[in-house]
Amino acid sequence: MSDINRREFGRAGFAGLAGAVLPSTPAGAVPQAAAGPSYKYIHLDVFTDRRLQGNQLFVFVQPAGLDTDSMQGLTRESNLSECTFVFPAEQAGTDHRVRIFTRTAETPFAGHPTIGTAFALAHAGVLKPGASHTTFGLGVGPTNIDLEWKDGRLAFAWMTQLKPAFGKTIDDSRALAAAIGVEALDPRAPGQEVNCGSNFFIVPLPTRKAVDAAVMDRGKVDAVFAAAGIQRRGMYIFSTERGQDDATAYSRLLGTGGIEDPATGSAAGPAGAFMAKHGFVPPERAGALVLLQGVLVRRPSRLHVRAGMTGADVTSIKVGGAAVVVGEGTMQN
């Protein structure tokens, strides 16, 4: 076909499309679904005081009328790792019922959604300046949140996680190292499952470079866990090698694909408990740990951990951080 014929063909094609109007649609109109109720959300970045860093969160502060399927649908539509929905308290001793959804299911507990929800409620004026604490009803039960204010604004929030439960270890450190593509693990302690509300497998590495280099081989990891008689958990890796920052540990949550989590508050508690129990930090520093996560994915996050010690035992865990409001919006169900 010549250049002239191509141009003539194009003109004819566009002319034909312009004149073609479906009988059921007026010319120029765009078909739309009937509008449903609108639900307001507050968009925050959590475990940071800088916008466009940390872990993203939508908090729906007026979700009355939404059922479980609708909350799941709105979370899936957000394409964020989690969204929260704040309802009136259902249990004595709590101030709010907070339901947390991932893209695929409701979850009883998660870290950055809990901290972020406190900041959203402060932003909305539900939490009044100067309040020392609030209590959320989560799927794991009542969860206390300590609040720190500065110049009338919420500056920091601490969630009390469940008392650490230390589970099985994987003593074949060479096989575990090979399964995540690193030369060796930190020899001071074997990888171990720890639960402070959610189960994670905590793995110490010798250097920050090793943390960045780690890549999970799903088949090898499954084989190593099966050999140790452990159900595979989310794997949280860290190194206490010092860098140019003030972080106690440099960390990542290893995944099998998709978007890497830039801040995992539910894993920071178990990781902090592991560090305190196995001597990765001296006892006098166990109450002031800072985990730096999300650097590799360009969303640096700072997760603070207070590990309470009684002798050599870790008896309590609090995880804290800041959050910043990015914007507000509405979604229709």
Side-chain angles (χ1 to χ4, degrees):
M1 184 182 294
S2 69
D3 289 342
I4 293 176
N5 286 341
R6 288 193 186 96
R7 287 195 293 269
E8 290 174 348
F9 179 80
R11 291 192 193 102
F14 282 118
L17 287 173
V21 180
L22 294 175
S24 60
T25 305
V30 178
Q32 293 186 1
S38 293
Y39 295 92
K40 179 180 177 180
Y41 64 84
I42 299 172
H43 177 186
L44 304 102
D45 288 337
V46 187
F47 289 120
T48 181
D49 57 4
R50 298 183 181 182
R51 293 179 180 86
L52 312 185
Q53 297 186 12
N55 207 346
Q56 298 165 289
L57 178 71
F58 284 0
V59 179
F60 289 83
V61 291
Q62 297 173 335
L66 288 173
D67 59 17
T68 297
D69 288 344
S70 297
M71 287 185 277
Q72 185 65 74
L74 291 175
T75 303
R76 189 164 49 246
E77 182 70 16
S78 77
N79 205 32
L80 300 183
S81 59
E82 285 106 350
C83 292
T84 66
F85 300 80
V86 185
F87 293 92
E90 297 175 353
Q91 184 177 356
T94 63
D95 300 308
H96 308 279
R97 172 69 169 109
V98 178
R99 298 181 65 178
I100 306 171
F101 285 79
T102 71
R103 298 184 190 97
T104 57
E106 186 171 7
T107 184
F109 175 68
H112 93 273
T114 302
I115 295 294
T117 298
F119 276 83
L121 293 178
H123 178 75
V126 177
L127 295 180
K128 303 303 181 184
S132 62
H133 72 280
T134 188
T135 303
F136 291 166
L138 301 181
V140 293
T143 300
N144 185 70
I145 315 294
D146 296 322
L147 308 172
E148 298 178 3
W149 302 81
K150 183 178 180 180
D151 299 327
R153 300 173 66 90
L154 184 60
F156 216 85
W158 291 93
M159 67 181 131
T160 300
Q161 297 191 351
L162 299 183
K163 181 181 177 180
F166 294 90
K168 294 181 178 180
T169 63
I170 292 179
D171 296 321
D172 190 346
S173 295
R174 181 176 298 180
L176 182 55
I180 60 173
V182 299
E183 293 184 0
L185 307 186
D186 191 312
R188 287 178 284 180
Q192 184 175 25
E193 58 179 353
V194 186
N195 188 325
C196 294
S198 295
N199 267 316
F200 286 92
F201 196 81
I202 310 302
V203 180
L205 296 180
T207 65
R208 293 185 175 204
K209 183 178 180 180
V211 172
D212 281 346
V215 178
M216 184 184 294
D217 183 314
R218 179 67 176 267
K220 289 182 179 180
V221 168
D222 285 348
V224 170
F225 274 75
I230 303 175
Q231 180 180 348
R232 190 166 64 83
R233 310 294 189 191
M235 191 177 297
Y236 198 76
I237 62 176
F238 75 90
S239 171
T240 53
E241 180 185 38
R242 299 309 299 266
Q244 295 181 345
D245 48 70
D246 64 346
T248 310
Y250 181 84
S251 61
R252 288 174 63 205
L253 179 69
L254 287 188
T256 55
I259 301 173
E260 180 173 324
D261 198 29
T264 315
S266 53
F274 180 96
M275 289 182 231
K277 178 179 177 63
H278 295 296
F280 284 83
V281 292
E284 62 271 16
R285 290 182 54 203
L289 308 178
V290 180
L291 279 62
L292 178 61
Q293 187 182 343
V295 173
L296 199 62
V297 292
R298 299 183 180 180
R299 293 194 68 93
S301 308
R302 291 172 59 85
L303 301 90
H304 296 249
V305 182
R306 290 174 174 169
M309 305 287 292
T310 301
D313 295 329
V314 184
T315 54
S316 65
I317 285 289
K318 290 187 177 184
V319 174
V324 59
V325 173
V326 178
E328 300 180 34
T330 58
M331 293 178 70
Q332 291 181 341
N333 180 31

